[in-house]
Amino acid sequence: MPTLLVTGGAGFIGANFVRFWRERHPADGVVVLDALTYAGNPANLDGVDGVELVHGDIRDQALVEKLLAERDADTLVHFAAESHVDRSILGPDAFIDTNVIGTHSLLKAARNVWLDKGSGRPHRFHHISTDEVYGTLGPADPAFHEDTPYAPNSPYSASKAASDHIVRAYHHTYGLQVTTSNCSNNYGPYQFPEKLIPLFLLNALEGRPLPIYGDGMQVRDWLHVEDHCLGISLILESDAAGECFNIGGGAELPNITVIDTLCAAVDDAFAADAGLARRFPQAPAANGKASASLKTYVTDRPGHDRRYAIDERRISARLGYKPGRDFATGLQQTIRWYLDNEGWWRAVQNGSYRAWMERNYTGRQGRIA
Ligand code: NAD
Ligand code: TYD
């Protein structure tokens, strides 16, 4: 039975990937290794059977070696990271520690177990990275392709770029069977409400300002998290060791368009369901006003990248990847998920899941029952 070790599997994309994989490969073993930082939440894995959640740090090389060897894992899917650009501007150290040192520690563990002690047994180390490593584009520049030179601009993207290079080096130098994917901005269920879409949705429901950085004309390519998981699984199932693939959602949009679409969808949802006004009395939509009335232009993020766009011809031509939904559909599904899962985001907002975790896991590593 193949077993996957998934780092960061209690975070947003990692948890969605674990759900995606378990549904399609129920016979495979899945072990999640997660430090349960502010962004890691065991509730993201609620209702998924057959997953072992180990509370630990990717920088703990001995622990990773033990998990790879004892669980007989042949695949490591590496999501664990500090992932928010704004936090990297305020405090870059954690980004270097986890994204650079942590990734190197995982590579050392994988090399030791799979190559040195395992005599090169079949294995795969898949590294999840970002399109932000390529820097920023002008309005008429061609989209990022896999050979676009790296030019990271934030401490976050610089730390991811460094990790991509180390992953590549472990393939070329030691023969570790690695693949890397660089994806665009994800959205969907279980996203921590610090990123644009969930933050603005919850603010619209609770009548708080929607803080638009600068002129709001920065462009991102929006990728539904399940489409991202599809792309990752196609890469894992391919024989593409040593290769990199861009994954995008085919939805290149200025932030202001995303925000206006989201505000209109919230207004429509309130118009269609009178119960929402009772649940969210602070929402403008509950008081005869447009959600867009909360839009507030604020000082721009330092070093804010202007445009990201993904050229995904390699993964479509080689592996048949195609995003499964357009942005309007994906956004509607995401809004519906947050409306239907108020308990999840209330617990995240008021920290009650953290208090529960601290009671249960402080200073411990091991299986979470
Ligand atoms: P997230 O912040 O929601 O989750 C990160 C997870 O990693 C959390 O569960 C956290 O507890 C865990 N973690 C952090 N430090 C750890 C450590 N030292 N040891 C073990 N676990 C640790 O992030 P996400 O949005 O799910 O992103 C997942 C990956 O995808 C990251 O590598 C990120 O760089 C990449 N990515 C994300 C996006 C996006 O739009 N969210 C876009 C491109 C790439
Ligand atoms: P974010 O979700 O932080 O992703 P990234 O910075 O990795 O692209 O932000 C997406 C875009 O939205 C980005 O251009 C910054 C902008 N933004 C705002 O305008 N206001 C906000 O409060 C946030 C969190 C983001």
Side-chain angles (χ1 to χ4, degrees), residues 9 14-26 28 30 32 41-53 190 368-369:
N16 276 282
F17 174 78
V18 168
R19 291 171 177 279
F20 184 96
W21 195 267
R22 287 291 303 156
E23 270 174 30
R24 288 155 185 84
H25 305 271
D28 289 4
V30 175
V32 166
N41 181 352
N44 294 356
L45 293 168
D46 274 358
V48 194
D49 293 331
V51 175
E52 180 187 7
L53 173 54
Y190 301 102
I368 292 183

Side-chain angles (χ1 to χ4, degrees), residues 215 325 358:
D215 63 2
R325 72 211 82 206
E358 276 154 23

